[in-house]
Amino acid sequence: EVQLVESGGGLVQPGGSLSLSCAVSGITLSDHHMDWVRQAPGKGLEWVGRSRNKARSYTTEYAASVKDRFTISRDDSNNSLYLQMNSLKTEDTAVYYCVRYDSSGKDDCWGQGTLVTVSS
Amino acid sequence: IQLTQSPSFLSASVGDRVTITCRASQGITTYLAWYQQKPGKAPNLLVYRMSTLQSGVPSRFSGSGSGTEFTLTISSLQPEDFATYYCQQLDTYPLTFGGGTKVEIK
């Protein structure tokens, strides 16, 4: 069974930094692209970015709203995905989900999410 | 690619046939997915590649469409189907979601 468990959320001031982690089990992480998706309180879903798999050299893609501020990385040996968030803004307040992308063309496995609150 | 869902809100009764539309700002391939989300929970994948039902999803859900217009149909709405539904395109970066359709009990 695939399990994704996010951690690291919390309260941070505007301009600050925070690092989220996603512990992955039940799959070989290096085989899969992984996404981060967020949801602001009471709002819809927003794709944040992607870390491609080992075969695609772990290259990354980002939404324009977070590009140059957020960085996705991974440690396949520790079955972990990370989201480093810098220069945080109040509009980054959201629940952040770690998501597995399956090669058949679907984001099929989601974590439970971790809440990030950016406020002074 | 912008995805516009309609309606944004839908009131329906148990047993009703419900159709939700997702329009893309430009043509996309079949990399279109539909999710169901209940309050406080992560989204749950219903349909991927436009019309393929995810394992374990009831057959009353179906997806169709082409080009720029896609639909999710619930053939007979059940009490557990009252939720918010989102479409997502996985064709072109940045990946994008529709704004959501909230299905409530009439």
Side-chain angles (χ1 to χ4, degrees):
Chain A
E1 179 190 5
V2 181
Q3 283 201 321
L4 308 174
V5 180
E6 303 92 339
S7 61
L11 176 63
V12 60
Q13 292 189 338
S17 298
L18 201 63
S19 181
L20 305 184
S21 299
C22 173
V24 180
S25 60
I27 59 171
T28 301
L29 183 57
S30 60
D31 289 343
H32 295 277
H33 300 350
M34 298 293 294
D35 291 339
W36 286 97
V37 175
R38 68 184 180 182
Q39 187 169 35
K43 302 297 184 182
L45 300 167
E46 180 186 17
W47 178 79
V48 171
R50 170 168 289 177
S51 168
R52 294 188 182 89
N53 61 14
K54 182 178 180 180
R56 295 290 300 276
S57 304
Y58 302 121
T59 53
T60 53
E61 300 282 347
Y62 297 96
S65 58
V66 305
K67 192 173 171 62
D68 299 327
R69 298 189 299 123
F70 289 12
T71 301
I72 300 173
S73 61
R74 61 165 81 194
D75 181 346
D76 289 347
S77 62
N78 282 325
N79 295 314
S80 293
L81 180 74
Y82 305 101
L83 180 65
Q84 176 65 41
M85 303 183 293
N86 298 330
S87 303
L88 282 160
K89 307 175 181 179
T90 55
E91 53 263 40
D92 294 319
T93 294
V95 173
Y96 285 74
Y97 295 101
C98 169
V99 188
R100 188 272 299 263
Y101 177 80
D102 182 83
S103 59
S104 52
K106 56 184 179 178
D107 273 338
D108 64 341
C109 296
W110 295 60
Q112 86 287 350
T114 188
L115 176 62
V116 172
T117 303
V118 184
S119 175
S120 55
Chain B
I1 298 176
Q2 292 184 343
L3 299 180
T4 303
Q5 280 184 240
S6 60
S8 54
F9 176 85
L10 187 159
S11 181
S13 301
V14 172
D16 283 353
R17 181 181 181 87
V18 167
T19 298
I20 299 169
T21 299
C22 178
R23 290 187 174 86
S25 59
Q26 62 189 74
I28 60 177
T29 61
T30 60
Y31 284 84
L32 192 287
W34 291 95
Y35 298 88
Q36 176 192 71
Q37 188 180 33
K38 296 183 178 179
K41 301 292 187 181
N44 180 48
L45 177 67
L46 299 174
V47 172
Y48 64 100
R49 296 298 301 270
M50 188 185 70
S51 61
T52 304
L53 204 64
Q54 172 70 351
S55 176
V57 173
S59 59
R60 63 180 179 273
F61 292 92
S62 64
S64 64
S66 66
T68 60
E69 186 159 327
F70 303 88
T71 59
L72 174 72
T73 300
I74 309 172
S75 61
S76 178
L77 200 64
Q78 298 301 301
E80 61 268 30
D81 301 337
F82 292 96
T84 300
Y85 295 83
Y86 295 94
C87 58
Q88 179 200 27
Q89 66 84 15
L90 302 96
D91 179 84
T92 303
Y93 293 108
L95 308 190
T96 48
F97 290 89
T101 296
K102 188 173 185 179
V103 178
E104 289 200 342
I105 302 172
K106 182 181 284 184

